[in-house]
Amino acid sequence: GTAACMSPDKVQKLNDIGFSWEAPCTGGSRNDTWNKRFKELQTFYFRFGHCLVPQKYPDNPKLGHWVKMQRADYQRLMKRSKDPTAPACKSRMTKGRIEALESINFVW
């Protein structure tokens, strides 16, 4: 699906009523999943010499989807940093994740 963006006013209204922005986890934390996929991407990189995983990579379909989502999270982060008045689009991308991905020549 497509990431939804909402106006700062709507975000504030939800915050005012105590809305929880975190989805319940089953199994492990999101960081565990991120780290697992990153290790899979490192393996792909060492095997093929690049991080251009096809979206429908038959050897690991979840990795292809994950790579696509990293690019989308990065774009949301960059959009928000360039325009603080832009609608609030949640991004899980962090400086540490950017550095890790760029350490293996990830293409944004």
Side-chain angles (χ1 to χ4, degrees):
T2 304
C5 298
M6 61 178 70
S7 70
D9 182 54
K10 287 182 181 179
V11 171
Q12 187 58 51
K13 286 179 181 178
L14 289 168
N15 285 336
D16 289 346
I17 63 168
F19 183 81
S20 173
W21 295 97
E22 296 300 317
C25 289
T26 57
S29 76
R30 288 191 180 149
N31 279 335
D32 290 344
T33 301
W34 195 93
N35 290 330
K36 177 182 178 189
R37 294 284 177 261
F38 180 70
K39 287 180 182 181
E40 292 170 357
L41 181 61
Q42 285 178 309
T43 300
F44 181 95
Y45 174 75
F46 291 125
R47 181 174 177 198
F48 297 106
H50 62 79
C51 294
L52 300 173
V53 181
Q55 285 185 27
K56 296 185 179 187
Y57 181 48
D59 291 353
N60 187 343
K62 288 182 179 182
L63 180 61
H65 177 74
W66 181 84
V67 166
K68 175 185 170 186
M69 296 310 298
Q70 298 317 295
R71 291 189 178 108
D73 273 346
Y74 179 80
Q75 294 303 320
R76 280 192 293 275
L77 180 68
M78 292 298 104
K79 180 179 180 180
R80 185 76 174 149
S81 68
K82 289 178 185 174
D83 181 8
T85 64
C89 298
K90 187 146 179 141
S91 172
R92 293 185 186 98
M93 188 56 60
T94 65
K95 182 179 178 184
R97 288 178 176 184
I98 291 169
E99 290 171 355
L101 290 165
E102 289 180 346
S103 76
I104 56 171
N105 299 317
F106 190 81
V107 177
W108 298 108

